[in-house]
Amino acid sequence: MINKSVLLFLFLSLTTFSQNNFDFVKINYKSFLLDEREEYGCFLYEETTLVTSNLKSFYYEKARDTIIQTMSMGEMDNTSATYNFTYFKDFEKKQVYLNRDYGLKKIIIDSTNNIKWEITKNRKKVMGYSCQEAKGVFRGRNYKAYFLKDIPISNGPFKFDGLPGIILKVQSDDGSVNIEAYEIEYNKDVKFNFSNPFEGKDTATWYEFKEFYKRRLEKVKNYNPEDGMSFSIPIGYIEKFVDE
């Protein structure tokens, strides 16, 4: 049973959200990907942070410590992973820049608002907030997203955006992907520098990246080392890089 002080806190939080015009909000998420149904499988366990206004945003990914046992890939040890990746969205230009290049060594430029959402009447509690459900298809998977209209910023974690409120939770219908907020901060008085950190860097389009990854995948598949070892890479992670 929820006590009165918790209910009062949630009510005051929602009231505060609805009464403020946001310069930006900061949301921390836990992001989990485990797909063992692909030929080679993929795994990610991350701490991610979204800092966003209505015009621009940053999304940061870093690995979280964990060791899990999977059915097809055996033990997955994330304890020594030290990567940090950045996604920068510019909604005026309808572009997202990312330095997670999977070996291309260029900044990849993709487009925003890639998902055609269908908003449903279903709702789900996320962090105590009543969020509305939307369904959409994004690069190989069907998703449900849960957004909060009280924060009127049309953005969310990773490349999920385009809804009339901030997205606090995303989950794929196949159970492989789950991204869920656990902390929200906002301050309309503090200014945040939303300058593009990748300006002037060597870039590639999303199509060019897909062509590169396809060639890399074929090279790995056809590689036969003398000692009989095998190598593999997945066809994608949260999003599929290679069309099936």
Side-chain angles (χ1 to χ4, degrees), residues 108-134:
I108 301 167
I109 302 178
D110 197 4
S111 57
T112 58
N113 297 298
N114 277 306
I115 307 171
K116 184 178 180 180
W117 295 105
E118 175 192 350
I119 298 175
T120 77
K121 295 181 180 180
N122 298 330
R123 306 189 75 87
K124 180 187 285 284
K125 288 287 185 73
V126 183
M127 292 183 59
Y129 304 120
S130 179
C131 297
Q132 192 162 359
E133 180 187 84

Side-chain angles (χ1 to χ4, degrees), residues 54-65:
N54 265 313
L55 299 178
K56 298 177 182 180
S57 73
F58 285 94
Y59 185 65
Y60 306 104
E61 293 180 333
K62 64 179 181 180
R64 299 182 68 214
D65 289 350

